[in-house]
Amino acid sequence: IIFWRFEQHRTALEISPLAQCSKKTVYNILCLHQDYSQVTNPFACRRGCSRILDAVDTKYIHALLQANPAMYLDELQEQLLTAQN
């Protein structure tokens, strides 16, 4: 959205179908970019709970399931706990 606006000089009405979002969303993102030089508000409270698994854990789970697609959830959890400790 930032590229389309400042590099290609497109309007919000032209950007919204390209980004597949509403014109209001385009304006919100442009406003955030102007205020914080990024498209998210760094001072906003994060929503939801923090993640329990990190990228390494999910890769490990993926590898386990590729090796043994019929593995049960309890076995998967046990393998993950063993690998983490």
Side-chain angles (χ1 to χ4, degrees):
I1 290 175
I2 305 304
F3 174 78
W4 287 322
R5 178 69 183 118
F6 297 110
E7 299 292 324
Q8 296 184 351
H9 307 289
R10 294 178 184 252
T11 65
L13 190 60
E14 294 171 326
I15 294 171
S16 62
L18 294 172
Q20 298 180 350
C21 63
S22 69
K23 193 168 65 168
K24 175 79 171 155
T25 301
V26 172
Y27 283 125
N28 286 339
I29 290 172
L30 292 174
C31 184
L32 286 168
H33 184 264
Q34 180 180 359
D35 292 346
Y36 305 113
S37 299
Q38 60 187 45
V39 296
T40 58
N41 183 349
F43 303 109
C45 295
R46 302 210 184 258
R47 294 172 54 167
C49 55
S50 59
R51 295 180 183 220
I52 296 173
L53 300 176
D54 59 11
V56 175
D57 292 336
T58 53
K59 285 182 182 179
Y60 181 73
I61 291 170
H62 184 68
L64 280 175
L65 289 173
Q66 280 186 326
N68 188 359
M71 183 179 275
Y72 288 104
L73 179 59
D74 61 332
E75 297 170 335
L76 190 62
Q77 289 171 331
E78 185 178 318
Q79 290 286 330
L80 181 61
L81 284 173
T82 304
Q84 288 176 335
N85 295 332

